Amino acid sequence: MTTPLAPASEDTGPVPTSQVELLRFTTAGSVDDGKSTLIGRLLHDTRSIFEDQLEQVEGVSRRRGTGELDLALLTDGLRDEREQRITIDVAYRYFATPKRRFIIADTPGHLQYTRNMVTGASTAQLAVILIDASRGILTQSRRHAFISTLLGISHLVVAVNKMDLVGYRREVFHSIQAEFRNFAQGLEGVRTLSFVPISALKGDHVVERSRRMDWHEGPTLLELLEIAEAGTRRDRGAFRFPVQSVIRPNANFRGYAGTVVSGSIAAGDQIVVLPSGETTAIHSIETADGPLESAEAGLAVVLTTHHELDISRGDLISHAQDPPPVGSRLAGDLCWMDREPLEPGRTYLLLHATRQIQVRVDRIVHRVEIDSLGHEEADTLGLNEIGRVELSTAAPFAFDLYRTNPATGSFVLVDLRTNQTAGAGMIRRRLDTVRRVSPGAVWQEAAVPQAARESRNGHLAAVLWLTGISGAGKSSIARDLERLLFRRGIQTALLDGDRLRHGLSGDLGFSDSDRAENLRRSGEVARILFDHGAIVLAAFISPRRADRERVRGLIPPERFFEVHVHAPLEVARARDPKGLYRREREGAVGSLPGSRGLWEPPTAPELLIDTTRATPAEAARSIVVRLEEAGILPPDSAQHPRREPS
Amino acid sequence: MTRRSRGHLAELENEAIWIIREVGAWFERPVILFSGGKDSIVLTWLARKAFHPAPIPFSLLHIDTGHNFPETIEFRDRFVRDLGLDLMVRFVQTSIDEGRVREEEGTNGSRNALQTVTLLDGLEELNADAALGGARRDEEKARAKERVFSHRNRFGQWDPRNQRPELWMLFNGRRQPGEHFRVFPLSNWTELDIWQYIQHQEIPVPALYLAHDREVVRRGGTLLARTEATGPWRPDDDVSVRRVRFRTVGDATCTGAFESDADTIEAIIRETGTARVTERGGRTDDRRSEAAMEDRKRAGYF
Ligand SMILES: Nc1nc2c(ncn2[C@@H]2O[C@H](COP(=O)(O)OP(=O)(O)O)[C@@H](O)[C@H]2O)c(=O)[nH]1
């Protein structure tokens, strides 16, 4: 650089605010709780309002004839709102004290604007919940508190406003405080909950202490904001680095630009690149201001690696010993933000860190009834609705749970037709089985995709998981079913517990953990066969619900059929085709599931077959019908002539 | 040279770099709107950091109203040259000559609003799908609600009722052909942050920002400097030499000077920390109506 044209710095005394911490917080309240007035008051009393702005507001206040200076006018941004006198969108405000820099995400509190509250809360570390002392706690305040905690804000400050209207009486404040405390017990993840009585209009306890409420000994609102914990504790988490782009100025330099979103990294550290699973070590950490030995959370840097790997935008880099899970099925809380309601089954675009993947909502587990915080059944989510959903992505990707890492645990959904940002989500759970990846193993896409096999086969792939106690009839049904399907030219594969234990699982016994491992292997084999286009018939006692759910997690939901093959224990004992029950009585084998051992029957199987009422052949035929109905198999006109419409 | 920032400046710097890198990834032909003013200087500075050691993969565009301070233009050219960047300049005068816009009449005539047409023409000419600007949300009420990635329709217009929600650090830059985005990486910076950062990083700025003696005239409550653009003084003008500086260095016809002794960045920071008038308050065009800024933004202004 040349010499600056302006003298850069002369030591002429301290600057007004040196480098201080930044705190981002949200405000919300019901209409007319005084939110705009409060923000105006904060800006005014911290001298963050300029003379010309103040003059403008004074001018308008005078013209409107409202008498008092209308501080709300300082913050109501857009013309629409000025006309309706309401705030309609998220607005960001800035003010500073010698201790801190503040960013307020100012969101309106009307029913239809949940989306704005969610948006504002997504980047905030603290929420100021406004309550009108003369009206008490309204739905809106509860909603704001709920959304704040849903978005992971752990510091809540309840500002009880308009204390001037209730004669500054401490009983009013205390009863609201007690009621809110009670309500807040139902909220998750609240680390600090503080209360302050204020009058935004008169300025009591906002910035200045109030003599009219000297009974309140706690901090003023501003003091609470100044002492709140500002760090997001990102430093202590596991190292995560979403790759934004590849920096390649010439053939000698190849680096990966991005921001350390959590944890820290040092030159020499062993890393793994996900989802590929390739590993290498960090060679250097570059910035425009020179290389660094290490970089902590928050820093934007460029990483170079020892080996040249195929790393590109969308990949996530972590420490080799501490990688996030990789999966393609997850459950999350989704806030819908588009006028067009969520369509389960339709393809959306998922934006996660720096990655984009096609995604589908498989199921809405429940919708949150925000006012009561209860759950209700739903087939869709409309604008401003929040619900728990299950999603499948087109390819596996690496993510964390929102609770442990908001940066890698959050996502938005984009409507591919309109490009609108349609939903915002927080990952709560991974539905895929815990699939461990061997160090260094690289995932290869199939040479022939499943869909190609399916179209040649003329039917879709599926997994039928037959579960039931020994002697219930699983194997007989599976064998009949396979013969039936084979005759129709269907690609099938049969996995049977006893057969697998000759060979693949020959090293395993019947302890809980061995059973679990046996089912894990069986599930993975079923998945491979499924990927190859087959209809997989798997017959396993599989007594544990958790083991079955794990297998379910490997297969897309509309392709997985849990078939509960049921017979009462006495019947099964009487059948005893393999003599197991007899040997159990004799003590030659351990406890059998459903007899002396644990048996957890399915709670919601896709199919229930009672083998005291149907022969194996009948059962097999009913399964075929079910597969036709589900669109897995084409209708078989020969066997099932179309019924005339009645 | 190590100039690591700490505290809020570091956080703002890192945030801006993240945004600038997202622009690099989402768009094919981004353009930095470069005026030579302090915000666009800081923006360009950050863009350099974002892609280091590679060069900035964006072009620079200046919409020249013709009403410039010569000092700004001189500085602009030097800054761009020193960073090894290419700057494209498009002139409002061209749009006037081509009859694309009509100059405002009257003594308060300003070319500020006219820039819109030249800007949109320039973006179209460059086939730009993103234009990065140095605007900050603290400048004006309407800006406070604008997104970081601000979608513009095919006519370059902003629709404040239909903005895409922005959550966490996830930006949605998907667009139809012909649409573009305005991107504001300095959204969360205040004027004071800008000056502190300039000081900390030792970034050069035009000398107009520092106090100097100058002949000025008082018109409509604003002190204006004499330039070619303001034309000769009128007989009734209240002309005097004062020690002044500028808080913005854009259109000389409507950018007000104000009296100040702050002749170092340090002094500016002290003054800004206790400033009584907003930066834009020195601009006569924003004050014409309470909603002036919003109207211009809807039409596609910066
Ligand atoms: N008496 C009293 N009135 C208040 C107070 N705070 C706000 N108000 C009034 O309540 C009304 C609504 O305030 P406003 O800030 O616009 O509410 P918002 O809708 O939450 O933004 C206005 O008439 C305010 O003057 C307060 O502390 N005391």
Side-chain angles (χ1 to χ4, degrees), chain A residues 29-38 70 72 76 85-87 130 161-165 198-202:
Chain A
S30 309
V31 184
D32 284 346
D33 278 353
K35 184 173 59 67
S36 309
T37 311
L38 174 64
D70 191 351
D76 277 352
R85 299 275 294 105
I86 48 167
T87 323
L130 205 59
N161 189 32
K162 304 199 186 177
M163 286 300 292
D164 55 307
L165 292 184
I198 62 168
S199 166
L201 193 67
K202 316 272 181 201

Side-chain angles (χ1 to χ4, degrees), chain B residues 189-252:
Chain B
W189 297 53
T190 63
E191 188 185 10
L192 188 58
D193 298 327
I194 294 282
W195 283 119
Q196 287 178 336
Y197 189 71
I198 285 171
Q199 179 190 41
H200 183 268
Q201 300 280 304
E202 298 179 10
I203 305 173
V205 293
L208 285 170
Y209 284 115
L210 302 173
H212 55 284
D213 294 323
R214 173 179 293 258
E215 197 180 78
V216 288
V217 63
R218 187 175 293 281
R219 279 188 197 159
T222 309
L223 287 179
L224 292 179
R226 200 172 97 161
T227 62
E228 261 178 65
T230 50
W233 296 142
R234 299 191 289 259
D236 56 334
D237 274 342
D238 167 16
V239 182
S240 56
V241 174
R242 293 166 192 258
R243 193 152 181 81
V244 295
R245 66 179 191 88
F246 295 84
R247 287 176 82 179
T248 59
V249 295
D251 191 322

Side-chain angles (χ1 to χ4, degrees), chain A residues 453-505:
Chain A
R453 294 177 193 274
E454 288 179 334
S455 82
R456 193 179 62 183
N457 290 346
H459 63 84
L460 299 182
V463 173
L464 294 160
W465 192 267
L466 281 63
T467 173
I469 61 176
S470 179
K474 299 177 300 295
S475 300
S476 318
I477 294 173
R479 294 164 74 90
D480 273 8
L481 181 56
E482 186 170 42
R483 280 193 287 267
L484 200 59
L485 293 174
F486 184 78
R487 278 205 299 275
R488 280 178 61 175
I490 307 293
Q491 286 291 335
T492 61
L494 181 65
L495 295 175
D496 180 279
D498 287 324
R499 288 174 50 134
L500 248 72
R501 282 178 176 278
H502 292 84
L504 180 62
S505 289

